[in-house]
Amino acid sequence: MASLPPLLYLCVAAAHLAGARDSFSTEGPTGTAWGLHRQSPSTLTNGQPSPPLEDWEEASEWTSWFNVDHPGGDGDFESLAAIRFYYGPTRVCPQPLALEARTTDWALPATVGERVHSNPTRGFWCLNREQPRGRRCSNYHVRFRCPLEATWGAWGPWGPCSGSCGPGRRLRRRSCPAEDTCPGRPQEAQKCVRPRCPGCNPNTCGCPDHVLVGAVVTPSGRPLSGARVFLRGQPGTVATSDAHGTFRVPGVCAGSKVNVTAQVDGFSAGVAQAQSNSSISALVTVVLKKLEKPYLMKHPESRVREAGQNVTFCCKAAGIPTPKKYSWFHNGTLLDKRELRYGAQLELRGLHPDQAGTYHCKAWNDAGAVRSAAASLTVLAPGQPACDPQPLEHLIQLPDDCGQPDGSPAYLDVGRCPDVQCPGPMGSPRCTDSSNRCCSVWRLKSQTVRCPGYVLPVKVVAECSCQKCLPLRGLVRGRVVAADSGEPLRFAQILLGQDPIGFTSYQGDFTIDVPSSPERLVLTFLDPSGEFVDTVRVLPFDPRGAGVYHEIKAMRKQTPVILDANQSNRIPLGELRDEVPMGELVIPSGAFRLADGRPYVDAVEARVTFVDPRDLASASAAPSDLRFLDQDGELAPLRTYGMFSVDLRAAGSREQLQAWPVTVRVAADQIHMAGHVEALRLWSLDPSTGLWEEESGFQREVSPGPRVRREERVFLVGNVEIRERRLFNLDVPERRRCFVKVRVYGNDKFTPSEQVEGAVVTLVNLEPAPGFSVNPRAWGRFDSAVTGPNGACLPAFCDEDRPDAYTALITATLGGEELEPAPSRPRPLPAAVGVTQPYLDRLGYRRTDHEDPAFKRNGFRINMAKPRPGNPAEAKGPVYPWRSLRECQEAPVTASHFRFARVETDRYEYNVVPFREGAPASWTSDFLAWWPNPQEFRACFLKVRIQGPQEYMVRAHSAGGSHPRTQGQLYGLRDARSVRDPQQSGTSAACVEFKCSGMLFDQQQADRTLVTIMPQGSCRRTAINTLLRDYLARHPPSAPADDPAAFAMLAPLDPLGHNYGVYTVTDQSPRLAKEIAIGRCFDGSSDGFSREMKADAGTAVTFQCQEPPAGRPSLFQRLLESPSEVLGDIRREMSEVAQARAAGSVRSRRGRAQP
């Protein structure tokens, strides 16, 4: 039975495809195509280009390509429903305009002579039974044409107030240029009041013999007692709800349809209209929702304008009740609302230079306030260019054989354009700039770099200008696994806030398109088996569009215990070995309730799961990011003493139960920080916002006896109601706060131009044991941030007087790869760590292997010593005061900071057309671009197995193979050092990248890349994957001269998979595509992931390498130094071998011919 759940999960996934197949038929409004010209499947097809953007009547664009089905069985089915299931519901618009299908060889269906069907709203399908005799459907991928989102025009004036007297409403309208395509409503209503109506009517005078009967309840149906009831038009409270939530108001006319308002502390006011129940009575039910602090749905976005232009900043908040009050601030100063007449939108007309700066908004409701992120406004003076045509410096490292005479690497300035916006349009102000123009590459120029024995081509930026920005699609990708076993969380539902957006895969993988203008990405993963706690995470992302990879740890629920609802029950919080519990839950008799509030008296199945901060490993599985909204509406950090999840269900069923009142007892002797006993609070998590909200405080427990013995434990007592929310926290709002500056580099040279963007840096605050800071007593909070072009700033707790009051453990990863900080043995060096003295000594920098070299070198610990005012040595980082976030974010690279570097320094990449993977906007349209499509990145790797006594460097040379514009021209070089297989001696393997075959940037014709694989050293090819060799033979032309010391091929257009030794991953982020492909290549599978090399699994080609004789250079080195001479020697040796074989064959035939 242990294998049943995975089988069920596979059935769920199969049902989506099966359902998609069953839904297809040849009936209905579909398009059907017959091939007019037959062509051999082994022949390259130059498909017809897709209609360009300007050929469509309405503004639209193509999506990326999708492929969810492979031909087999009945045919190939690319269902729109299946695409939305596997790729996410937001990847294709609700109403596509058109569909285009091509084979994976980039041929149109008509070209290969196949009959297919398509419908933009249903998908594409090809049936084997409909094809000519002997043919089967090809493997197709599809894309959809989607309309660009239209935007509303400006609001019109308000209309007249309805009615002749008393309350009314007025309307205003706006128009959409494309009917029914703009999101939102075309009209907006507003309350208004005319002069009070004279005389008596049923609403004011009443009906003495009539009665209004009502109830006040929550959305789940739970009655609310003590609610104050009001009638419109009558002053004061007319009734109060009783213990059952009901009330009666005599004298209210049955047919009056009067509006009834109810209020109760902690809930938003509710309004409902009474309905007649009989001739003399009316009924009403008022539903009240619990107050929720506002949270931002849309933050203002930075803008660039010329003097005299207009600009609009937009802010949108949600909450209960919906926030109606907004305030705007310029450089921290409140703007005059009467003068600017702003609300959720701030419109500034006729800009002048002194209006430049930062702008943010604040929104209020009855529960509190929230502050938005700051947006910058740049106002250009007349004639001032937004984009300097002269490119900035951008250094790239040249191959090792092009290095300096002293052996150090050589660098070349290829230039880059500044990452700045250009001015928006002069037209009517709107929240989103329609132009979206950015400073980007206008012109490239070709250069050559002379290296020993060969010439390296390169294209450098010659001129920058304002052009249309590439659409930024923030991407978060990752994997959800069990914190205790590492098993994947399969087919877990993913919620964005409260909205379902997809599922994890069978391997636990997920991909999320980040919505526009968020500050926090809050995701919830719901385990379908019910064995794991709902996993709520606030994931950092790159707002500039680069992809970010996260590994999510899901916490397994505790083993259930059976409780008697008619007795008092105690459940411990924290059960670490050799440690006393942190506290306990006390649930009194009769506290359990059904969802509608009715008492529950049978057996209860309870699962209380506690995240114990005394266990340092538990930090990775803790929910949310430990933040709350303070009184000023700003995000503030919490210091936790434990979190717990409560799951209460009726025994023998899945019905969820509630419980109140519940007492939480916390042992005071487990809280060691000064002042924290008095400041401890109980919080609950709002899963839609990822923010913690206060439930209650704690009081010292009063002993019932006359005296308390000294050895008895003292407890703090708080109360909570377990209703809709099930995640709770024992936290203290800590006010000793700082920021820590961290940067990530491509290697341990820490060159400023080689900073890495998109790395996830994590800081865990630790509470050290007294006098022994390397052995922390507990962790207190954690935070993560994504590095940008200027590093990352992470919040942390700190102390000015006691440097070791708090310590911190800081780690960093890139696509799942652990990064390495600067060393600290035998003592940390300021030049390596990046921090000047004497501040470095005060911080106590220690890498994780400082005490024991056998430990992993994946992080470092520091004392969180807050910089002291007036001390210039501590004024420039790496630790900044809480109010100096901007100084931290804008600190120059010369200021103090902590450093990480990539461990895999034996991987090298060179592109003829430079591209910064962390900045998608740096992409340039060029035939030699490694990535031809800036919206979809396809990474290809070949697995090379090497039998030899050491690790070897392997180079992949990618050049144009079949396209007339690029044939023979270099795309780029990739070097990768082989990694030993821990299970086999004398065997290693390398996963080396090559440029994928496919369409070039103009999308007109495919190119099969000519790939040449060359290991370093004295190596000879001994084996080629049989399936790969057969595939290449069936898809000519074949590669040029077959060199026994190398492997060459015209790369396949199809994504072949691990059976061929080829690993292909398509993603919206180049870095994520490569990291996922490398993980699969190491594992030797098409859907697995490993950081441990499995050299015998899924290899494409095998080489036998040996140590060259002393003094003799390797073939790899000879190729670098004198390629023409070496290739001549190889041809001469091959000719001699061929002649010898031919002579031997003739002698053999003569021998057989003799009698």
Side-chain angles (χ1 to χ4, degrees):
M1 293 300 292
S3 62
L4 183 57
L7 291 175
L8 290 175
Y9 299 147
L10 287 174
C11 291
V12 171
H16 278 269
L17 283 176
R21 292 170 182 260
D22 294 340
S23 66
F24 283 133
S25 67
T26 56
E27 301 175 359
T30 63
T32 305
W34 281 94
L36 301 179
H37 304 282
R38 297 181 183 273
Q39 190 171 356
S40 170
S42 62
T43 303
L44 285 173
T45 302
N46 299 335
Q48 300 173 3
S50 305
L53 183 63
E54 56 269 17
D55 290 349
W56 292 79
E57 293 182 358
E58 57 181 300
S60 57
E61 63 180 353
W62 286 106
T63 66
S64 55
W65 292 93
F66 305 103
N67 188 352
V68 297
D69 191 26
H70 291 272
D74 297 332
D76 191 32
F77 298 82
E78 305 297 333
S79 155
L80 180 55
I83 289 171
R84 285 177 170 148
F85 175 80
Y86 285 104
Y87 285 86
T90 62
R91 294 292 294 273
V92 182
C93 55
Q95 295 295 328
L97 303 174
L99 177 151
E100 181 185 13
R102 289 178 182 263
T103 69
T104 51
D105 287 331
W106 296 99
L108 293 169
T111 309
V112 296
E114 295 177 3
R115 188 184 188 214
V116 299
H117 307 272
S118 67
N119 184 316
T121 61
R122 295 167 59 194
F124 167 91
W125 62 103
C126 174
L127 303 177
N128 287 330
R129 67 173 183 268
E130 295 182 348
Q131 307 311 313
R133 183 183 298 274
R135 283 196 64 93
R136 295 175 65 86
C137 293
S138 300
N139 187 11
Y140 285 91
H141 50 190
V142 299
R143 63 177 180 172
F144 298 85
R145 191 81 184 185
C146 285
L148 294 175
E149 186 176 282
T151 56
W152 291 101
W155 284 105
W158 288 105
C161 189
S162 63
S164 59
C165 62
R169 69 172 189 162
R170 59 179 184 172
L171 303 175
R172 65 173 180 174
R173 292 177 171 81
R174 57 181 176 174
S175 60
C176 178
E179 188 176 356
D180 297 331
T181 59
C182 296
R185 297 181 178 180
Q187 69 177 20
E188 185 178 50
Q190 187 183 65
K191 292 180 180 180
C192 56
V193 179
R194 287 185 178 272
R196 185 170 181 176
C197 299
C200 179
N201 59 64
N203 289 340
T204 58
C205 299
C207 303
D209 298 331
H210 293 201
V211 64
L212 170 67
V213 179
V216 183
V217 297
T218 66
S220 64
R222 178 171 64 90
L224 290 174
S225 61
R228 302 177 297 278
V229 181
F230 307 87
L231 298 181
R232 195 176 78 172
Q234 294 190 23
T237 303
V238 298
T240 302
S241 62
D242 59 19
H244 302 288
T246 61
F247 62 88
R248 294 171 61 89
V249 182
V252 177
C253 299
S256 63
K257 295 187 176 181
V258 65
N259 286 334
V260 182
T261 302
Q263 295 179 355
V264 66
D265 293 341
F267 289 80
S268 174
V271 180
Q273 190 177 69
Q275 301 295 327
S276 175
N277 183 48
S278 69
S279 60
I280 61 171
S281 65
L283 296 179
V284 66
T285 299
V286 185
V287 179
L288 303 187
K289 296 181 179 180
K290 190 173 182 179
L291 284 176
E292 291 184 1
K293 287 186 176 182
Y295 58 94
L296 268 299
M297 304 287 290
K298 182 176 181 60
H299 293 260
E301 300 176 11
S302 297
R303 294 284 181 260
V304 176
R305 291 289 187 270
E306 296 175 351
Q309 286 187 318
N310 306 330
V311 70
T312 299
F313 291 109
C314 298
C315 186
K316 182 181 180 182
I320 299 177
T322 302
K324 299 295 185 183
K325 180 183 176 182
Y326 289 86
S327 293
W328 284 91
F329 298 80
H330 175 218
N331 292 335
T333 302
L334 178 65
L335 295 175
D336 191 337
K337 187 170 187 177
R338 291 176 296 179
E339 177 186 348
L340 297 175
R341 299 180 180 274
Y342 59 70
Q345 297 183 10
L346 171 66
E347 181 181 340
L348 303 175
R349 293 184 170 273
L351 291 170
H352 41 86
D354 61 358
Q355 290 180 291
T358 60
Y359 289 82
H360 75 268
C361 76
K362 260 190 178 182
W364 278 268
N365 70 0
D366 296 341
V370 64
R371 171 179 170 160
S372 75
S376 64
L377 173 62
T378 303
V379 181
L380 302 175
Q384 178 185 357
C387 178
D388 188 344
Q390 185 67 28
L392 304 175
E393 180 186 66
H394 178 58
L395 300 177
I396 63 168
Q397 183 180 342
L398 297 176
D400 289 341
D401 50 307
C402 290
Q404 302 288 347
D406 61 356
S408 61
Y411 291 86
L412 176 69
D413 181 12
V414 297
R416 69 176 179 88
C417 296
D419 298 325
V420 296
Q421 290 180 312
C422 292
M426 280 291 295
S428 60
R430 56 183 59 186
C431 292
T432 303
D433 280 350
S434 59
S435 66
N436 288 329
R437 298 198 308 148
C438 300
C439 186
S440 55
V441 177
W442 172 249
R443 183 169 59 90
L444 294 171
K445 63 180 180 181
S446 298
Q447 292 184 1
T448 56
V449 178
R450 295 195 174 276
C451 301
Y454 68 99
V455 174
L456 192 67
V458 64
K459 292 195 175 185
V460 301
V461 179
E463 186 178 356
C464 304
S465 70
C466 287
Q467 300 181 71
K468 187 173 183 179
C469 304
L470 292 173
L472 295 182
R473 296 181 177 177
L475 190 72
V476 169
R477 191 160 189 169
R479 191 163 179 252
V480 188
V481 298
D484 54 357
S485 66
E487 65 179 286
L489 200 66
R490 299 185 171 103
F491 303 114
Q493 187 178 31
I494 307 173
L495 304 182
L496 176 61
Q498 297 178 334
D499 302 323
I501 58 171
F503 299 85
T504 60
S505 70
Y506 182 76
Q507 296 293 337
D509 300 314
F510 66 92
T511 301
I512 302 296
D513 284 323
V514 180
S516 60
S517 187
E519 186 185 16
R520 292 160 55 83
L521 180 66
V522 183
L523 299 178
T524 303
F525 301 89
L526 305 179
D527 172 36
S529 69
E531 288 301 309
F532 291 87
V533 175
D534 293 349
T535 306
V536 182
R537 288 291 186 275
V538 181
L539 299 183
F541 61 94
D542 189 339
R544 302 192 314 149
V548 179
Y549 184 89
H550 294 279
E551 184 165 276
I552 309 298
K553 301 293 182 65
M555 188 168 51
R556 195 182 303 273
K557 292 180 181 178
Q558 278 282 24
T559 304
V561 295
I562 303 300
L563 307 179
D564 186 344
N566 300 307
Q567 294 183 2
S568 179
N569 298 276
R570 294 174 180 265
I571 303 175
L573 297 177
E575 295 179 301
L576 292 180
R577 181 180 298 178
D578 301 328
E579 295 279 1
V580 297
M582 282 289 299
E584 63 182 2
L585 292 184
V586 181
I587 307 177
S589 172
F592 293 100
R593 300 283 192 277
L594 297 170
D596 60 3
R598 290 182 293 119
Y600 178 82
V601 297
D602 294 328
V604 177
E605 184 181 281
R607 306 178 84 168
V608 177
T609 307
F610 188 69
V611 179
D612 197 327
R614 297 172 299 179
D615 177 9
L616 298 184
S618 67
S620 61
S624 184
D625 63 348
L626 290 173
R627 296 201 188 193
F628 75 106
L629 284 177
D630 63 14
Q631 294 179 347
D632 297 325
E634 298 185 25
L635 290 176
L638 291 168
R639 193 273 196 224
T640 187
Y641 283 95
M643 312 177 197
F644 57 95
S645 165
V646 182
D647 186 10
L648 304 175
R649 299 186 183 272
S653 75
R654 300 294 297 169
E655 184 176 7
Q656 202 167 53
L657 302 176
Q658 301 178 356
W660 71 84
V662 175
T663 300
V664 182
R665 302 175 75 236
V666 178
D669 59 358
Q670 295 297 310
I671 302 175
H672 306 284
M673 300 288 282
H676 282 199
V677 169
E678 296 76 16
L680 189 68
R681 298 287 185 271
L682 182 62
W683 309 74
S684 65
L685 180 65
D686 183 351
S688 62
T689 64
L691 295 173
W692 296 91
E693 297 184 0
E694 185 175 339
E695 290 283 342
S696 73
F698 282 90
Q699 302 291 331
R700 287 185 179 271
E701 187 175 51
V702 178
S703 175
R707 293 187 59 184
V708 179
R709 294 198 308 271
R710 179 173 297 179
E711 63 272 15
E712 287 185 349
R713 302 180 74 192
V714 177
F715 285 89
L716 306 176
V717 179
N719 296 305
V720 68
E721 296 182 353
I722 300 173
R723 301 185 189 272
E724 292 81 6
R725 295 187 181 177
R726 300 297 169 123
L727 280 170
F728 301 94
N729 202 347
L730 310 171
D731 274 24
V732 172
E734 178 63 89
R735 300 193 177 278
R736 296 174 292 175
R737 302 172 290 188
C738 292
F739 285 98
V740 180
K741 183 75 171 190
V742 179
R743 299 179 188 268
V744 174
Y745 294 85
N747 55 56
D748 58 5
K749 304 296 182 184
F750 304 122
T751 306
S753 63
E754 295 187 354
Q755 289 193 68
V756 176
E757 303 173 37
V760 179
V761 185
T762 300
L763 184 151
V764 181
N765 256 125
L766 305 172
E767 178 189 328
F772 195 46
S773 61
V774 297
N775 184 22
R777 184 156 44 196
W779 61 270
R781 70 167 286 105
F782 56 89
D783 267 289
S784 295
V786 175
T787 56
N790 201 33
C793 294
L794 292 97
F797 297 142
C798 59
D799 194 283
E800 181 180 331
D801 300 323
R802 288 183 52 214
D804 61 349
Y806 274 116
T807 61
L809 171 65
I810 302 177
T811 58
T813 60
L814 181 66
E817 168 196 347
E818 292 181 334
L819 305 180
E820 188 173 294
S824 62
R825 289 171 56 93
R827 61 185 305 271
L829 301 177
V833 178
V835 181
T836 59
Q837 290 285 23
Y839 201 8
L840 180 59
D841 285 341
R842 187 166 178 248
L843 293 170
Y845 178 91
R846 293 291 185 271
R847 198 167 69 175
T848 47
D849 67 334
H850 185 83
E851 304 295 334
D852 186 350
F855 275 32
K856 293 178 68 175
R857 299 176 293 183
N858 64 336
F860 63 90
R861 288 180 180 173
I862 56 171
N863 295 327
M864 286 307 305
K866 184 178 181 180
R868 293 168 290 195
N871 191 327
E874 301 177 3
K876 296 183 178 180
V879 181
Y880 293 82
W882 183 256
R883 294 297 177 185
S884 300
L885 174 59
R886 188 171 181 181
E887 287 82 348
C888 179
Q889 293 172 333
E890 298 177 357
V893 72
T894 54
S896 292
H897 60 274
F898 293 112
R899 296 167 170 173
F900 282 89
R902 297 196 68 171
V903 181
E904 298 180 57
T905 56
D906 290 332
R907 281 171 54 185
Y908 172 74
E909 300 178 358
Y910 174 79
N911 296 328
V912 172
V913 180
F915 173 68
R916 291 176 292 140
E917 294 179 355
S922 66
W923 180 84
T924 307
S925 56
D926 191 276
F927 280 99
L928 293 177
W930 186 275
W931 307 99
N933 184 352
Q935 298 300 303
E936 187 174 71
F937 298 90
R938 192 180 187 201
C940 295
F941 283 79
L942 199 76
K943 189 167 185 177
V944 180
R945 182 172 180 262
I946 297 181
Q947 295 173 324
Q950 61 183 26
E951 297 176 342
Y952 298 85
M953 188 69 76
V954 181
R955 169 165 290 182
H957 179 287
S958 296
S962 60
H963 197 288
R965 292 290 298 269
T966 63
Q967 193 168 26
Q969 298 184 60
L970 181 67
Y971 288 119
L973 303 174
R974 297 292 188 268
D975 293 344
R977 184 174 295 278
S978 63
V979 178
R980 291 185 181 275
D981 187 331
Q983 305 299 324
Q984 301 184 52
S985 60
T987 303
S988 63
C991 294
V992 59
E993 183 186 8
F994 63 91
K995 184 188 181 302
C996 302
S997 296
M999 291 288 188
L1000 300 185
F1001 87 95
D1002 63 344
Q1003 297 290 302
Q1004 297 291 322
Q1005 182 177 343
D1007 179 38
R1008 288 186 65 186
T1009 307
L1010 175 59
V1011 180
T1012 305
I1013 305 295
M1014 298 177 294
Q1016 177 189 12
S1018 180
C1019 302
R1020 184 170 295 272
R1021 188 185 69 245
T1022 58
I1024 300 175
N1025 183 294
T1026 304
L1027 293 176
L1028 178 61
R1029 184 179 60 234
D1030 293 345
Y1031 178 92
L1032 296 175
R1034 295 196 312 270
H1035 294 77
S1038 57
D1042 191 11
D1043 180 358
F1047 170 70
M1049 68 173 180
L1050 284 175
L1053 288 167
D1054 294 314
L1056 297 181
H1058 70 285
N1059 290 328
Y1060 298 79
V1062 179
Y1063 302 84
T1064 304
V1065 173
T1066 301
D1067 205 291
Q1068 289 177 275
S1069 163
R1071 182 178 294 130
L1072 293 186
K1074 292 196 298 186
E1075 294 297 338
I1076 295 169
I1078 290 173
R1080 294 177 180 177
C1081 181
F1082 269 57
D1083 191 61
S1085 66
S1086 291
D1087 56 2
F1089 189 90
S1090 176
R1091 285 292 174 189
E1092 185 176 277
M1093 179 61 74
K1094 302 174 183 177
D1096 279 344
T1099 58
V1101 59
T1102 301
F1103 288 87
Q1104 178 74 47
C1105 298
Q1106 59 186 9
E1107 288 298 319
R1112 180 182 175 184
S1114 67
L1115 175 63
F1116 185 80
Q1117 186 64 34
R1118 292 169 60 204
L1119 276 169
L1120 296 178
E1121 295 176 353
S1122 183
S1124 58
E1125 179 182 343
V1126 174
L1127 291 175
D1129 292 344
I1130 292 174
R1131 293 191 189 97
R1132 186 168 54 256
E1133 292 177 6
M1134 291 177 62
S1135 177
E1136 293 173 357
V1137 171
Q1139 292 176 4
R1141 288 178 177 175
S1145 176
V1146 170
R1147 287 194 298 270
S1148 176
R1149 287 196 300 270
R1150 287 177 179 174
R1152 288 195 299 269
Q1154 293 177 356

